[in-house]
């Protein structure tokens, strides 16, 4: 469907910072660029509004939307709850092959130098655990949430210095609990791991919002 195609392309444009926050997103220009009519473009933008990427104001236009601090709190709360649930399920269903994969990823994480490489491996680590939960609905729901959080570019601090060392230690403990199939311990370790990251995200986002207000003044 053209609407699905338009949605994927426009979402990628937004993720890659094609539009600034105050820039009007021109539907006619997008239709021309994507060689489509206005209808699939409008439907795609409506879906993106529902997901929090844009705001559509009648008679005004379409603009990029960044979350308020409360909205970020709400989304992170949902993300953590679903991720912890999937980790619990993973403790029951994870296979030896999947355990081997995440152990190999941990080894790679200890030897990479760039934050970008570490972040990519971190995503792979969590993705394998959540896939092993055998709950496709929860996995796909949170995949959409994580796409959004990566778009916001909430923080890089979790992948730096002492935070990175702490993260890697927590990963090791989670893997050990998964190997032992200890559902309660996996749940507690994953929740502690994610709550720490959540705190860093909120703190840095609050600081960035404050800095932007100062610049605008």
């Amino acid at each position: 469907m053209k609407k699905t195609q338009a949605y994927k392309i426009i979402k990628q444009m937004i993720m890659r910072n094609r539009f600034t926050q105050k820039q009007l997103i021109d539907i006619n220009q997008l239709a021309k660029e994507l060689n489509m009519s206005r209808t699939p473009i409008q439907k795609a933008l409506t879906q993106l509004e529902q997901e929090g990427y844009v705001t559509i104001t009648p008679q005004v236009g379409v603009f990029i939307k960044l979350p308020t601090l409360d909205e970020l709190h709400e989304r992170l709360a949902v993300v953590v709850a679903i991720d912890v649930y999937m980790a619990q399920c993973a403790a029951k269903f994870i296979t030896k092959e999947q355990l081997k994969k995440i152990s190999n990823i941990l080894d790679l994480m200890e030897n990479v130098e760039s934050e970008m490489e570490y972040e990519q491996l971190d995503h792979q680590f969590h993705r394998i655990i959540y896939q092993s939960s055998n709950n496709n609905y929860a996995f796909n729901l949170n995949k959409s949430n994580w796409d959004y959080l990566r778009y916001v570019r909430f923080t890089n601090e979790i992948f730096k210095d002492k935070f990175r060392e702490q993260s890697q230690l927590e990963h090791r403990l989670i893997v050990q609990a998964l190997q032992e199939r200890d559902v309660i311990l996996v749940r507690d370790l994953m929740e502690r791991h994610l709550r720490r990251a959540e705190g860093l995200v909120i703190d840095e986002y609050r600081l960035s919002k404050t800095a932007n207000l100062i610049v605008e003044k």
Side-chain angles (χ1 to χ4, degrees):
M1 290 177 60
K2 286 194 173 183
K3 178 254 183 179
T4 302
Q5 183 184 1
Y7 165 80
K8 289 180 179 178
I9 294 172
I10 298 170
K11 183 177 177 180
Q12 281 299 313
M13 288 178 175
I14 294 171
M15 297 280 282
R16 292 172 182 168
N17 298 315
R18 164 77 178 271
F19 312 104
T20 63
Q21 193 174 354
K22 295 182 179 180
Q23 177 184 354
L24 176 69
I25 297 176
D26 190 328
I27 295 176
N28 291 326
Q29 178 60 36
L30 283 174
K32 182 178 179 181
E33 187 173 337
L34 302 184
N35 194 26
M36 295 180 185
S37 68
R38 287 171 53 92
T39 301
I41 303 294
Q42 289 171 326
K43 288 181 178 179
L45 288 169
T46 298
Q47 182 175 344
L48 288 164
E49 181 184 37
Q50 292 169 351
E51 295 176 6
Y53 289 91
V54 301
T55 181
I56 300 174
T57 305
Q59 310 304 319
V60 178
V62 184
F63 295 89
I64 292 296
K65 179 187 178 186
L66 291 178
T68 64
L69 196 57
D70 285 344
E71 288 170 338
L72 187 58
H73 260 296
E74 290 172 2
R75 194 175 292 246
L76 281 166
V78 172
V79 166
V80 170
I82 297 174
D83 282 6
V84 169
Y85 167 73
M86 286 191 289
Q88 282 182 263
C89 294
K92 301 175 185 177
F93 302 119
I94 196 165
T95 65
K96 289 182 179 179
E97 182 181 355
Q98 288 168 327
L99 281 168
K100 184 177 180 181
K101 282 182 180 178
I102 57 176
S103 294
N104 289 340
I105 289 171
L106 283 184
D107 291 339
L108 290 171
M109 290 171 84
E110 289 181 346
N111 293 303
V112 297
E113 295 183 3
S114 77
E115 291 158 24
M116 185 177 295
E117 283 180 289
Y118 187 88
E119 181 180 357
Q120 290 170 347
L121 289 169
D122 182 80
H123 292 158
Q124 290 177 37
F125 174 85
H126 284 276
R127 185 184 181 89
I128 292 171
I129 292 176
Y130 302 148
Q131 283 177 325
S132 69
S133 70
N134 290 347
N135 189 318
N136 288 329
Y137 176 75
F139 178 81
N140 289 326
L141 182 60
N142 250 20
K143 181 182 181 301
S144 174
N145 283 325
W146 278 109
D147 281 349
Y148 179 80
L149 292 172
R150 280 194 288 274
Y151 149 66
V152 174
R153 288 308 301 172
F154 43 85
T155 182
N156 290 319
E157 292 302 313
I158 3 176
F159 307 114
K160 289 181 180 177
D161 306 327
K162 63 179 181 180
F163 298 115
R164 173 168 160 174
E165 292 175 12
Q166 179 66 26
S167 174
Q168 189 71 344
L169 173 60
E170 290 168 359
H171 286 158
R172 288 285 179 194
L173 292 173
I174 290 167
V175 171
Q176 184 176 343
L178 285 169
Q179 290 170 336
E180 295 170 359
R181 311 249 174 217
D182 191 328
V183 176
I184 295 175
L185 183 57
V186 168
R187 180 198 66 199
D188 291 346
L189 288 170
M190 184 62 80
E191 183 164 15
R192 206 176 308 158
H193 176 62
L194 294 173
R195 291 294 179 198
R196 183 181 63 80
E198 180 186 16
L200 289 169
V201 168
I202 294 298
D203 287 346
E204 183 152 323
Y205 196 74
R206 185 184 289 112
L207 288 172
S208 71
K209 295 286 279 187
T210 303
N212 286 338
L213 285 173
I214 292 171
V215 169
E216 287 176 4
K217 287 179 181 179

